[in-house]
Amino acid sequence: MPVTHFRIRWPDQSEAVCYSPSSVVTAHLDAGRTYPLAEFVSLTRVALVEASERVRMKYGYACSSAMDQLQAIEAAAARFHDQPDATVQVIGFGR
């Protein structure tokens, strides 16, 4: 279950490096693709919950870091909810 980081670009052109305890995030997001804000948040939520559950299955407890990352993404995305055409670009993945 390799830790995977993914770099994103928010609508204001700021960048962030995000954490996933599992590479499952690469099954939900595509490097180089730009997503509508709501779709990005939704896909990220699914990916990070799934990653946390993989940790639970292997170690017997959920991954709090994945849930912290999800909370940070949701909080950052809230800044752009008033922009109907807001998008988030997934720049790439790393370990």
Side-chain angles (χ1 to χ4, degrees), residues 22-83:
S22 166
S23 61
V24 70
V25 70
T26 63
H28 295 277
L29 299 171
D30 297 319
R33 184 167 170 195
T34 300
Y35 295 89
L37 180 67
E39 181 182 2
F40 171 77
V41 172
S42 177
L43 290 171
T44 304
R45 183 180 301 112
V46 169
L48 291 174
V49 168
E50 185 175 333
S52 181
E53 285 304 308
R54 286 184 176 202
V55 170
R56 182 189 310 277
M57 289 172 58
K58 184 169 184 173
Y59 298 106
Y61 53 86
C63 180
S64 61
S65 294
M67 296 301 90
D68 290 345
Q69 181 62 75
L70 176 56
Q71 184 178 20
I73 287 171
E74 290 174 338
R79 299 178 307 171
F80 306 107
H81 279 297
D82 62 339
Q83 298 177 22

Side-chain angles (χ1 to χ4, degrees), residues 8-16 34-35 37 73 75-83 85-89 91:
I8 61 172
R9 182 171 295 120
W10 290 107
D12 65 359
Q13 301 306 304
S14 65
E15 294 183 8
T34 300
Y35 295 89
L37 180 67
I73 287 171
R79 299 178 307 171
F80 306 107
H81 279 297
D82 62 339
Q83 298 177 22
D85 296 330
T87 60
V88 179
Q89 181 184 24
I91 298 167

